[in-house]
Amino acid sequence: MEWHIRADLPIYAQLIFQIKLAIVSGEYLPGERLASVRELAMDAGVNPNTMQRALQELEREGMVYTQRTSGRFVTEDTKVIESAKKHLAEDRIKDFLEQMGRLGYPKEEILSLLKASIEEEKNNADMGM
């Protein structure tokens, strides 16, 4: 997993988001064992306590679970994963709409821009671009 840590947000929140994104995108599969806290922390370049805090929050949310002697695993509950995926999408849409509103676009014009962009992308894909 490739980590992207920014200075403008709390690190543990970024870790939660990135692990959750890896789960909902299928990078981590349901039931898959996660690396140890130390391994994940070293890979991300963060303090193990920070990674532990992020994993505890993901466990509280039901995204991962712990088996006492075996480590942490991704939930096998696909409803939890789908719910998290929907929530992440809704957050992104809300952020996008707020940013476009700050640019002065009304919602109807945003929708027109999106439709045009999707159509352009579809045409480019059809042409093999």
mmCIF file of all heavy atoms in Angstrom, residues 35-87:
data_model
loop_
_atom_site.group_PDB
_atom_site.id
_atom_site.type_symbol
_atom_site.label_atom_id
_atom_site.label_comp_id
_atom_site.label_asym_id
_atom_site.label_seq_id
_atom_site.Cartn_x
_atom_site.Cartn_y
_atom_site.Cartn_z
ATOM 1 N N ALA A 35 -0.942 -6.414 7.986
ATOM 2 C CA ALA A 35 0.400 -6.463 8.556
ATOM 3 C C ALA A 35 0.320 -6.003 10.013
ATOM 4 O O ALA A 35 -0.665 -5.387 10.435
ATOM 5 C CB ALA A 35 1.337 -5.568 7.754
ATOM 6 N N SER A 36 1.365 -6.263 10.769
ATOM 7 C CA SER A 36 1.384 -5.859 12.183
ATOM 8 C C SER A 36 1.404 -4.335 12.284
ATOM 9 O O SER A 36 1.726 -3.629 11.324
ATOM 10 C CB SER A 36 2.617 -6.428 12.878
ATOM 11 O OG SER A 36 3.781 -5.741 12.433
ATOM 12 N N VAL A 37 1.071 -3.840 13.458
ATOM 13 C CA VAL A 37 1.081 -2.401 13.707
ATOM 14 C C VAL A 37 2.456 -1.830 13.382
ATOM 15 O O VAL A 37 2.571 -0.813 12.702
ATOM 16 C CB VAL A 37 0.689 -2.089 15.171
ATOM 17 C CG1 VAL A 37 0.928 -0.625 15.497
ATOM 18 C CG2 VAL A 37 -0.746 -2.475 15.438
ATOM 19 N N ARG A 38 3.481 -2.488 13.850
ATOM 20 C CA ARG A 38 4.843 -1.997 13.615
ATOM 21 C C ARG A 38 5.188 -1.979 12.132
ATOM 22 O O ARG A 38 5.795 -1.032 11.636
ATOM 23 C CB ARG A 38 5.860 -2.844 14.372
ATOM 24 C CG ARG A 38 5.806 -2.615 15.866
ATOM 25 C CD ARG A 38 7.089 -3.066 16.559
ATOM 26 N NE ARG A 38 7.017 -2.849 17.984
ATOM 27 C CZ ARG A 38 7.174 -1.671 18.579
ATOM 28 N NH1 ARG A 38 7.389 -0.608 17.856
ATOM 29 N NH2 ARG A 38 7.102 -1.555 19.878
ATOM 30 N N GLU A 39 4.808 -3.031 11.423
ATOM 31 C CA GLU A 39 5.088 -3.085 9.978
ATOM 32 C C GLU A 39 4.338 -1.991 9.237
ATOM 33 O O GLU A 39 4.915 -1.302 8.379
ATOM 34 C CB GLU A 39 4.710 -4.455 9.411
ATOM 35 C CG GLU A 39 5.606 -5.583 9.884
ATOM 36 C CD GLU A 39 5.075 -6.961 9.509
ATOM 37 O OE1 GLU A 39 3.837 -7.145 9.482
ATOM 38 O OE2 GLU A 39 5.907 -7.834 9.244
ATOM 39 N N LEU A 40 3.056 -1.824 9.552
ATOM 40 C CA LEU A 40 2.271 -0.774 8.906
ATOM 41 C C LEU A 40 2.834 0.607 9.224
ATOM 42 O O LEU A 40 2.942 1.460 8.336
ATOM 43 C CB LEU A 40 0.803 -0.859 9.338
ATOM 44 C CG LEU A 40 -0.014 -2.010 8.780
ATOM 45 C CD1 LEU A 40 -1.364 -2.103 9.491
ATOM 46 C CD2 LEU A 40 -0.209 -1.860 7.280
ATOM 47 N N ALA A 41 3.203 0.830 10.486
ATOM 48 C CA ALA A 41 3.751 2.118 10.893
ATOM 49 C C ALA A 41 5.070 2.402 10.177
ATOM 50 O O ALA A 41 5.299 3.519 9.699
ATOM 51 C CB ALA A 41 3.949 2.149 12.407
ATOM 52 N N MET A 42 5.926 1.393 10.097
ATOM 53 C CA MET A 42 7.207 1.575 9.423
ATOM 54 C C MET A 42 6.978 1.876 7.940
ATOM 55 O O MET A 42 7.600 2.772 7.376
ATOM 56 C CB MET A 42 8.087 0.327 9.589
ATOM 57 C CG MET A 42 9.500 0.556 9.110
ATOM 58 S SD MET A 42 10.721 -0.709 9.557
ATOM 59 C CE MET A 42 9.806 -2.200 9.563
ATOM 60 N N ASP A 43 6.066 1.153 7.326
ATOM 61 C CA ASP A 43 5.761 1.347 5.913
ATOM 62 C C ASP A 43 5.217 2.755 5.655
ATOM 63 O O ASP A 43 5.554 3.388 4.653
ATOM 64 C CB ASP A 43 4.753 0.287 5.454
ATOM 65 C CG ASP A 43 4.544 0.287 3.957
ATOM 66 O OD1 ASP A 43 5.535 0.454 3.201
ATOM 67 O OD2 ASP A 43 3.394 0.115 3.529
ATOM 68 N N ALA A 44 4.372 3.253 6.565
ATOM 69 C CA ALA A 44 3.766 4.580 6.408
ATOM 70 C C ALA A 44 4.685 5.695 6.902
ATOM 71 O O ALA A 44 4.439 6.867 6.630
ATOM 72 C CB ALA A 44 2.434 4.634 7.156
ATOM 73 N N GLY A 45 5.725 5.328 7.653
ATOM 74 C CA GLY A 45 6.636 6.327 8.195
ATOM 75 C C GLY A 45 6.037 7.107 9.354
ATOM 76 O O GLY A 45 6.282 8.304 9.495
ATOM 77 N N VAL A 46 5.242 6.413 10.181
ATOM 78 C CA VAL A 46 4.593 7.062 11.316
ATOM 79 C C VAL A 46 4.919 6.308 12.604
ATOM 80 O O VAL A 46 5.413 5.180 12.580
ATOM 81 C CB VAL A 46 3.053 7.141 11.133
ATOM 82 C CG1 VAL A 46 2.701 7.925 9.874
ATOM 83 C CG2 VAL A 46 2.417 5.760 11.105
ATOM 84 N N ASN A 47 4.605 6.929 13.711
ATOM 85 C CA ASN A 47 4.804 6.320 15.012
ATOM 86 C C ASN A 47 3.843 5.134 15.171
ATOM 87 O O ASN A 47 2.665 5.244 14.824
ATOM 88 C CB ASN A 47 4.525 7.385 16.090
ATOM 89 C CG ASN A 47 4.803 6.908 17.483
ATOM 90 O OD1 ASN A 47 4.205 5.953 17.949
ATOM 91 N ND2 ASN A 47 5.711 7.594 18.151
ATOM 92 N N PRO A 48 4.320 4.003 15.714
ATOM 93 C CA PRO A 48 3.430 2.853 15.922
ATOM 94 C C PRO A 48 2.201 3.174 16.782
ATOM 95 O O PRO A 48 1.125 2.620 16.557
ATOM 96 C CB PRO A 48 4.316 1.816 16.615
ATOM 97 C CG PRO A 48 5.697 2.164 16.175
ATOM 98 C CD PRO A 48 5.708 3.668 16.042
ATOM 99 N N ASN A 49 2.345 4.095 17.748
ATOM 100 C CA ASN A 49 1.191 4.468 18.578
ATOM 101 C C ASN A 49 0.105 5.144 17.741
ATOM 102 O O ASN A 49 -1.092 4.960 17.986
ATOM 103 C CB ASN A 49 1.618 5.398 19.714
ATOM 104 C CG ASN A 49 2.486 4.691 20.727
ATOM 105 O OD1 ASN A 49 2.374 3.476 20.925
ATOM 106 N ND2 ASN A 49 3.379 5.430 21.358
ATOM 107 N N THR A 50 0.523 5.924 16.750
ATOM 108 C CA THR A 50 -0.430 6.587 15.870
ATOM 109 C C THR A 50 -1.156 5.561 15.004
ATOM 110 O O THR A 50 -2.377 5.632 14.820
ATOM 111 C CB THR A 50 0.294 7.632 14.983
ATOM 112 O OG1 THR A 50 1.008 8.535 15.828
ATOM 113 C CG2 THR A 50 -0.686 8.397 14.121
ATOM 114 N N MET A 51 -0.405 4.602 14.487
ATOM 115 C CA MET A 51 -1.021 3.542 13.679
ATOM 116 C C MET A 51 -1.969 2.721 14.545
ATOM 117 O O MET A 51 -3.068 2.380 14.111
ATOM 118 C CB MET A 51 0.057 2.649 13.063
ATOM 119 C CG MET A 51 -0.495 1.562 12.160
ATOM 120 S SD MET A 51 -1.417 2.158 10.722
ATOM 121 C CE MET A 51 -0.093 2.776 9.692
ATOM 122 N N GLN A 52 -1.572 2.417 15.771
ATOM 123 C CA GLN A 52 -2.420 1.662 16.691
ATOM 124 C C GLN A 52 -3.733 2.404 16.932
ATOM 125 O O GLN A 52 -4.806 1.802 16.911
ATOM 126 C CB GLN A 52 -1.696 1.433 18.019
ATOM 127 C CG GLN A 52 -2.507 0.739 19.087
ATOM 128 C CD GLN A 52 -2.810 -0.703 18.758
ATOM 129 O OE1 GLN A 52 -2.150 -1.335 17.935
ATOM 130 N NE2 GLN A 52 -3.827 -1.244 19.392
ATOM 131 N N ARG A 53 -3.655 3.718 17.111
ATOM 132 C CA ARG A 53 -4.857 4.535 17.329
ATOM 133 C C ARG A 53 -5.787 4.453 16.114
ATOM 134 O O ARG A 53 -7.004 4.315 16.264
ATOM 135 C CB ARG A 53 -4.445 5.978 17.597
ATOM 136 C CG ARG A 53 -5.592 6.903 17.859
ATOM 137 C CD ARG A 53 -5.103 8.291 18.170
ATOM 138 N NE ARG A 53 -6.227 9.207 18.348
ATOM 139 C CZ ARG A 53 -6.120 10.511 18.386
ATOM 140 N NH1 ARG A 53 -4.932 11.074 18.274
ATOM 141 N NH2 ARG A 53 -7.183 11.259 18.535
ATOM 142 N N ALA A 54 -5.223 4.530 14.924
ATOM 143 C CA ALA A 54 -6.021 4.456 13.700
ATOM 144 C C ALA A 54 -6.690 3.089 13.577
ATOM 145 O O ALA A 54 -7.883 2.992 13.258
ATOM 146 C CB ALA A 54 -5.149 4.734 12.481
ATOM 147 N N LEU A 55 -5.948 2.038 13.839
ATOM 148 C CA LEU A 55 -6.503 0.683 13.733
ATOM 149 C C LEU A 55 -7.575 0.433 14.787
ATOM 150 O O LEU A 55 -8.575 -0.251 14.520
ATOM 151 C CB LEU A 55 -5.384 -0.358 13.826
ATOM 152 C CG LEU A 55 -4.445 -0.394 12.623
ATOM 153 C CD1 LEU A 55 -3.223 -1.252 12.911
ATOM 154 C CD2 LEU A 55 -5.170 -0.880 11.378
ATOM 155 N N GLN A 56 -7.401 0.993 15.977
ATOM 156 C CA GLN A 56 -8.428 0.861 17.016
ATOM 157 C C GLN A 56 -9.723 1.534 16.577
ATOM 158 O O GLN A 56 -10.811 1.015 16.814
ATOM 159 C CB GLN A 56 -7.935 1.450 18.340
ATOM 160 C CG GLN A 56 -6.938 0.577 19.042
ATOM 161 C CD GLN A 56 -6.355 1.238 20.280
ATOM 162 O OE1 GLN A 56 -6.270 2.453 20.390
ATOM 163 N NE2 GLN A 56 -5.939 0.405 21.229
ATOM 164 N N GLU A 57 -9.611 2.682 15.922
ATOM 165 C CA GLU A 57 -10.803 3.370 15.437
ATOM 166 C C GLU A 57 -11.471 2.557 14.334
ATOM 167 O O GLU A 57 -12.692 2.422 14.305
ATOM 168 C CB GLU A 57 -10.443 4.773 14.923
ATOM 169 C CG GLU A 57 -11.615 5.529 14.338
ATOM 170 C CD GLU A 57 -12.754 5.787 15.316
ATOM 171 O OE1 GLU A 57 -12.540 5.780 16.538
ATOM 172 O OE2 GLU A 57 -13.896 5.975 14.836
ATOM 173 N N LEU A 58 -10.684 1.982 13.435
ATOM 174 C CA LEU A 58 -11.244 1.140 12.379
ATOM 175 C C LEU A 58 -11.911 -0.094 12.972
ATOM 176 O O LEU A 58 -12.928 -0.566 12.462
ATOM 177 C CB LEU A 58 -10.159 0.745 11.376
ATOM 178 C CG LEU A 58 -9.697 1.880 10.459
ATOM 179 C CD1 LEU A 58 -8.416 1.494 9.738
ATOM 180 C CD2 LEU A 58 -10.789 2.252 9.476
ATOM 181 N N GLU A 59 -11.350 -0.598 14.037
ATOM 182 C CA GLU A 59 -11.960 -1.746 14.714
ATOM 183 C C GLU A 59 -13.280 -1.330 15.368
ATOM 184 O O GLU A 59 -14.273 -2.053 15.277
ATOM 185 C CB GLU A 59 -10.995 -2.311 15.761
ATOM 186 C CG GLU A 59 -11.399 -3.654 16.281
ATOM 187 C CD GLU A 59 -10.281 -4.388 17.006
ATOM 188 O OE1 GLU A 59 -9.099 -4.055 16.820
ATOM 189 O OE2 GLU A 59 -10.613 -5.316 17.766
ATOM 190 N N ARG A 60 -13.304 -0.159 15.978
ATOM 191 C CA ARG A 60 -14.531 0.353 16.592
ATOM 192 C C ARG A 60 -15.625 0.530 15.540
ATOM 193 O O ARG A 60 -16.797 0.274 15.799
ATOM 194 C CB ARG A 60 -14.248 1.688 17.288
ATOM 195 C CG ARG A 60 -15.385 2.184 18.152
ATOM 196 C CD ARG A 60 -15.146 3.575 18.682
ATOM 197 N NE ARG A 60 -15.132 4.601 17.640
ATOM 198 C CZ ARG A 60 -16.206 5.040 16.977
ATOM 199 N NH1 ARG A 60 -17.376 4.533 17.230
ATOM 200 N NH2 ARG A 60 -16.101 5.973 16.058
ATOM 201 N N GLU A 61 -15.233 0.926 14.318
ATOM 202 C CA GLU A 61 -16.182 1.110 13.221
ATOM 203 C C GLU A 61 -16.591 -0.211 12.571
ATOM 204 O O GLU A 61 -17.489 -0.234 11.735
ATOM 205 C CB GLU A 61 -15.581 2.022 12.142
ATOM 206 C CG GLU A 61 -15.371 3.446 12.586
ATOM 207 C CD GLU A 61 -14.714 4.295 11.511
ATOM 208 O OE1 GLU A 61 -14.651 3.865 10.333
ATOM 209 O OE2 GLU A 61 -14.256 5.404 11.843
ATOM 210 N N GLY A 62 -15.905 -1.302 12.926
ATOM 211 C CA GLY A 62 -16.243 -2.598 12.364
ATOM 212 C C GLY A 62 -15.549 -2.917 11.051
ATOM 213 O O GLY A 62 -15.875 -3.908 10.399
ATOM 214 N N MET A 63 -14.592 -2.087 10.651
ATOM 215 C CA MET A 63 -13.878 -2.314 9.388
ATOM 216 C C MET A 63 -12.822 -3.405 9.521
ATOM 217 O O MET A 63 -12.494 -4.076 8.548
ATOM 218 C CB MET A 63 -13.215 -1.021 8.898
ATOM 219 C CG MET A 63 -14.189 0.083 8.533
ATOM 220 S SD MET A 63 -15.237 -0.305 7.121
ATOM 221 C CE MET A 63 -14.060 -0.406 5.810
ATOM 222 N N VAL A 64 -12.268 -3.548 10.713
ATOM 223 C CA VAL A 64 -11.284 -4.596 10.984
ATOM 224 C C VAL A 64 -11.636 -5.241 12.315
ATOM 225 O O VAL A 64 -12.395 -4.688 13.109
ATOM 226 C CB VAL A 64 -9.823 -4.059 11.012
ATOM 227 C CG1 VAL A 64 -9.438 -3.423 9.690
ATOM 228 C CG2 VAL A 64 -9.613 -3.075 12.150
ATOM 229 N N TYR A 65 -11.085 -6.411 12.536
ATOM 230 C CA TYR A 65 -11.277 -7.084 13.820
ATOM 231 C C TYR A 65 -9.978 -7.774 14.202
ATOM 232 O O TYR A 65 -9.122 -8.034 13.366
ATOM 233 C CB TYR A 65 -12.443 -8.088 13.773
ATOM 234 C CG TYR A 65 -12.240 -9.240 12.816
ATOM 235 C CD1 TYR A 65 -11.698 -10.443 13.260
ATOM 236 C CD2 TYR A 65 -12.595 -9.141 11.472
ATOM 237 C CE1 TYR A 65 -11.511 -11.501 12.387
ATOM 238 C CE2 TYR A 65 -12.419 -10.195 10.600
ATOM 239 C CZ TYR A 65 -11.871 -11.377 11.058
ATOM 240 O OH TYR A 65 -11.686 -12.426 10.195
ATOM 241 N N THR A 66 -9.853 -8.052 15.493
ATOM 242 C CA THR A 66 -8.642 -8.675 16.019
ATOM 243 C C THR A 66 -8.933 -10.098 16.439
ATOM 244 O O THR A 66 -9.943 -10.371 17.082
ATOM 245 C CB THR A 66 -8.109 -7.884 17.235
ATOM 246 O OG1 THR A 66 -7.834 -6.547 16.825
ATOM 247 C CG2 THR A 66 -6.856 -8.516 17.797
ATOM 248 N N GLN A 67 -8.052 -10.993 16.047
ATOM 249 C CA GLN A 67 -8.059 -12.353 16.594
ATOM 250 C C GLN A 67 -6.842 -12.423 17.500
ATOM 251 O O GLN A 67 -5.717 -12.175 17.049
ATOM 252 C CB GLN A 67 -7.988 -13.394 15.485
ATOM 253 C CG GLN A 67 -9.279 -13.560 14.749
ATOM 254 C CD GLN A 67 -9.237 -14.723 13.778
ATOM 255 O OE1 GLN A 67 -8.181 -15.233 13.427
ATOM 256 N NE2 GLN A 67 -10.409 -15.141 13.329
ATOM 257 N N ARG A 68 -7.078 -12.756 18.723
ATOM 258 C CA ARG A 68 -6.096 -12.642 19.782
ATOM 259 C C ARG A 68 -4.654 -12.980 19.410
ATOM 260 O O ARG A 68 -3.769 -12.177 19.619
ATOM 261 C CB ARG A 68 -6.507 -13.523 20.954
ATOM 262 C CG ARG A 68 -6.396 -12.784 22.221
ATOM 263 C CD ARG A 68 -7.158 -13.497 23.296
ATOM 264 N NE ARG A 68 -7.696 -12.499 24.159
ATOM 265 C CZ ARG A 68 -7.154 -12.167 25.298
ATOM 266 N NH1 ARG A 68 -6.115 -12.808 25.751
ATOM 267 N NH2 ARG A 68 -7.658 -11.209 26.017
ATOM 268 N N THR A 69 -4.399 -14.107 18.867
ATOM 269 C CA THR A 69 -3.008 -14.494 18.595
ATOM 270 C C THR A 69 -2.639 -14.394 17.123
ATOM 271 O O THR A 69 -1.487 -14.620 16.770
ATOM 272 C CB THR A 69 -2.757 -15.939 19.070
ATOM 273 O OG1 THR A 69 -3.686 -16.804 18.413
ATOM 274 C CG2 THR A 69 -2.899 -16.057 20.566
ATOM 275 N N SER A 70 -3.597 -14.043 16.290
ATOM 276 C CA SER A 70 -3.350 -14.048 14.845
ATOM 277 C C SER A 70 -3.206 -12.674 14.223
ATOM 278 O O SER A 70 -2.780 -12.555 13.083
ATOM 279 C CB SER A 70 -4.483 -14.788 14.130
ATOM 280 O OG SER A 70 -4.594 -16.102 14.626
ATOM 281 N N GLY A 71 -3.614 -11.621 14.912
ATOM 282 C CA GLY A 71 -3.493 -10.274 14.364
ATOM 283 C C GLY A 71 -4.824 -9.668 13.971
ATOM 284 O O GLY A 71 -5.884 -10.129 14.383
ATOM 285 N N ARG A 72 -4.744 -8.638 13.152
ATOM 286 C CA ARG A 72 -5.951 -7.925 12.689
ATOM 287 C C ARG A 72 -6.300 -8.352 11.275
ATOM 288 O O ARG A 72 -5.434 -8.584 10.442
ATOM 289 C CB ARG A 72 -5.712 -6.417 12.706
ATOM 290 C CG ARG A 72 -5.851 -5.826 14.082
ATOM 291 C CD ARG A 72 -6.057 -4.317 13.981
ATOM 292 N NE ARG A 72 -6.332 -3.749 15.282
ATOM 293 C CZ ARG A 72 -5.393 -3.330 16.115
ATOM 294 N NH1 ARG A 72 -4.129 -3.416 15.795
ATOM 295 N NH2 ARG A 72 -5.738 -2.799 17.278
ATOM 296 N N PHE A 73 -7.607 -8.379 11.030
ATOM 297 C CA PHE A 73 -8.131 -8.804 9.739
ATOM 298 C C PHE A 73 -9.181 -7.812 9.265
ATOM 299 O O PHE A 73 -9.870 -7.184 10.067
ATOM 300 C CB PHE A 73 -8.775 -10.189 9.857
ATOM 301 C CG PHE A 73 -7.800 -11.270 10.205
ATOM 302 C CD1 PHE A 73 -7.411 -11.479 11.525
ATOM 303 C CD2 PHE A 73 -7.262 -12.073 9.209
ATOM 304 C CE1 PHE A 73 -6.504 -12.474 11.842
ATOM 305 C CE2 PHE A 73 -6.359 -13.067 9.520
ATOM 306 C CZ PHE A 73 -5.976 -13.273 10.841
ATOM 307 N N VAL A 74 -9.338 -7.727 7.946
ATOM 308 C CA VAL A 74 -10.398 -6.926 7.346
ATOM 309 C C VAL A 74 -11.718 -7.647 7.605
ATOM 310 O O VAL A 74 -11.790 -8.877 7.511
ATOM 311 C CB VAL A 74 -10.175 -6.773 5.824
ATOM 312 C CG1 VAL A 74 -11.348 -6.060 5.160
ATOM 313 C CG2 VAL A 74 -8.865 -6.053 5.552
ATOM 314 N N THR A 75 -12.755 -6.877 7.911
ATOM 315 C CA THR A 75 -14.060 -7.480 8.145
ATOM 316 C C THR A 75 -14.504 -8.298 6.929
ATOM 317 O O THR A 75 -14.167 -7.980 5.798
ATOM 318 C CB THR A 75 -15.130 -6.404 8.450
ATOM 319 O OG1 THR A 75 -16.359 -7.068 8.746
ATOM 320 C CG2 THR A 75 -15.351 -5.466 7.282
ATOM 321 N N GLU A 76 -15.254 -9.317 7.198
ATOM 322 C CA GLU A 76 -15.838 -10.121 6.125
ATOM 323 C C GLU A 76 -17.285 -9.700 5.863
ATOM 324 O O GLU A 76 -17.929 -10.226 4.968
ATOM 325 C CB GLU A 76 -15.756 -11.600 6.491
ATOM 326 C CG GLU A 76 -14.307 -12.079 6.573
ATOM 327 C CD GLU A 76 -14.175 -13.524 7.024
ATOM 328 O OE1 GLU A 76 -15.122 -14.300 6.814
ATOM 329 O OE2 GLU A 76 -13.124 -13.853 7.585
ATOM 330 N N ASP A 77 -17.759 -8.720 6.631
ATOM 331 C CA ASP A 77 -19.127 -8.215 6.497
ATOM 332 C C ASP A 77 -19.174 -7.216 5.341
ATOM 333 O O ASP A 77 -18.790 -6.050 5.489
ATOM 334 C CB ASP A 77 -19.565 -7.561 7.809
ATOM 335 C CG ASP A 77 -21.027 -7.157 7.809
ATOM 336 O OD1 ASP A 77 -21.634 -7.055 6.721
ATOM 337 O OD2 ASP A 77 -21.557 -6.925 8.911
ATOM 338 N N THR A 78 -19.641 -7.676 4.200
ATOM 339 C CA THR A 78 -19.656 -6.828 3.009
ATOM 340 C C THR A 78 -20.617 -5.644 3.156
ATOM 341 O O THR A 78 -20.421 -4.621 2.502
ATOM 342 C CB THR A 78 -20.007 -7.642 1.745
ATOM 343 O OG1 THR A 78 -21.258 -8.306 1.947
ATOM 344 C CG2 THR A 78 -18.924 -8.660 1.437
ATOM 345 N N LYS A 79 -21.609 -5.763 4.015
ATOM 346 C CA LYS A 79 -22.521 -4.635 4.251
ATOM 347 C C LYS A 79 -21.781 -3.486 4.931
ATOM 348 O O LYS A 79 -22.012 -2.316 4.613
ATOM 349 C CB LYS A 79 -23.723 -5.069 5.089
ATOM 350 C CG LYS A 79 -24.689 -5.949 4.331
ATOM 351 C CD LYS A 79 -25.871 -6.338 5.185
ATOM 352 C CE LYS A 79 -26.772 -7.290 4.399
ATOM 353 N NZ LYS A 79 -27.881 -7.771 5.202
ATOM 354 N N VAL A 80 -20.891 -3.806 5.852
ATOM 355 C CA VAL A 80 -20.082 -2.778 6.523
ATOM 356 C C VAL A 80 -19.178 -2.097 5.501
ATOM 357 O O VAL A 80 -19.048 -0.872 5.485
ATOM 358 C CB VAL A 80 -19.250 -3.395 7.674
ATOM 359 C CG1 VAL A 80 -18.227 -2.405 8.209
ATOM 360 C CG2 VAL A 80 -20.165 -3.859 8.799
ATOM 361 N N ILE A 81 -18.564 -2.887 4.632
ATOM 362 C CA ILE A 81 -17.673 -2.340 3.607
ATOM 363 C C ILE A 81 -18.451 -1.453 2.637
ATOM 364 O O ILE A 81 -18.018 -0.334 2.324
ATOM 365 C CB ILE A 81 -16.922 -3.467 2.869
ATOM 366 C CG1 ILE A 81 -15.992 -4.186 3.852
ATOM 367 C CG2 ILE A 81 -16.152 -2.928 1.670
ATOM 368 C CD1 ILE A 81 -15.348 -5.451 3.304
ATOM 369 N N GLU A 82 -19.601 -1.923 2.174
ATOM 370 C CA GLU A 82 -20.411 -1.129 1.241
ATOM 371 C C GLU A 82 -20.906 0.162 1.892
ATOM 372 O O GLU A 82 -20.957 1.204 1.251
ATOM 373 C CB GLU A 82 -21.586 -1.950 0.703
ATOM 374 C CG GLU A 82 -21.185 -2.947 -0.350
ATOM 375 C CD GLU A 82 -20.496 -2.306 -1.558
ATOM 376 O OE1 GLU A 82 -20.986 -1.282 -2.076
ATOM 377 O OE2 GLU A 82 -19.455 -2.829 -1.975
ATOM 378 N N SER A 83 -21.272 0.098 3.157
ATOM 379 C CA SER A 83 -21.715 1.286 3.877
ATOM 380 C C SER A 83 -20.579 2.303 3.979
ATOM 381 O O SER A 83 -20.785 3.506 3.774
ATOM 382 C CB SER A 83 -22.211 0.898 5.269
ATOM 383 O OG SER A 83 -22.549 2.041 6.008
ATOM 384 N N ALA A 84 -19.384 1.833 4.284
ATOM 385 C CA ALA A 84 -18.223 2.725 4.368
ATOM 386 C C ALA A 84 -17.913 3.334 3.002
ATOM 387 O O ALA A 84 -17.589 4.520 2.897
ATOM 388 C CB ALA A 84 -17.005 1.961 4.891
ATOM 389 N N LYS A 85 -18.041 2.527 1.964
ATOM 390 C CA LYS A 85 -17.794 3.012 0.600
ATOM 391 C C LYS A 85 -18.777 4.127 0.253
ATOM 392 O O LYS A 85 -18.395 5.171 -0.288
ATOM 393 C CB LYS A 85 -17.922 1.845 -0.385
ATOM 394 C CG LYS A 85 -17.595 2.186 -1.807
ATOM 395 C CD LYS A 85 -17.659 0.926 -2.655
ATOM 396 C CE LYS A 85 -17.184 1.161 -4.063
ATOM 397 N NZ LYS A 85 -17.132 -0.099 -4.834
ATOM 398 N N LYS A 86 -20.042 3.914 0.573
ATOM 399 C CA LYS A 86 -21.067 4.918 0.295
ATOM 400 C C LYS A 86 -20.800 6.194 1.081
ATOM 401 O O LYS A 86 -20.915 7.305 0.561
ATOM 402 C CB LYS A 86 -22.456 4.369 0.623
ATOM 403 C CG LYS A 86 -23.564 5.329 0.290
ATOM 404 C CD LYS A 86 -24.924 4.746 0.579
ATOM 405 C CE LYS A 86 -25.992 5.771 0.218
ATOM 406 N NZ LYS A 86 -27.311 5.385 0.654
ATOM 407 N N HIS A 87 -20.419 6.040 2.338
ATOM 408 C CA HIS A 87 -20.142 7.198 3.189
ATOM 409 C C HIS A 87 -18.954 7.993 2.645
ATOM 410 O O HIS A 87 -18.993 9.231 2.599
ATOM 411 C CB HIS A 87 -19.890 6.743 4.629
ATOM 412 C CG HIS A 87 -19.793 7.871 5.590
ATOM 413 N ND1 HIS A 87 -18.599 8.393 5.996
ATOM 414 C CD2 HIS A 87 -20.756 8.608 6.210
ATOM 415 C CE1 HIS A 87 -18.810 9.396 6.831
ATOM 416 N NE2 HIS A 87 -20.115 9.542 6.976
#
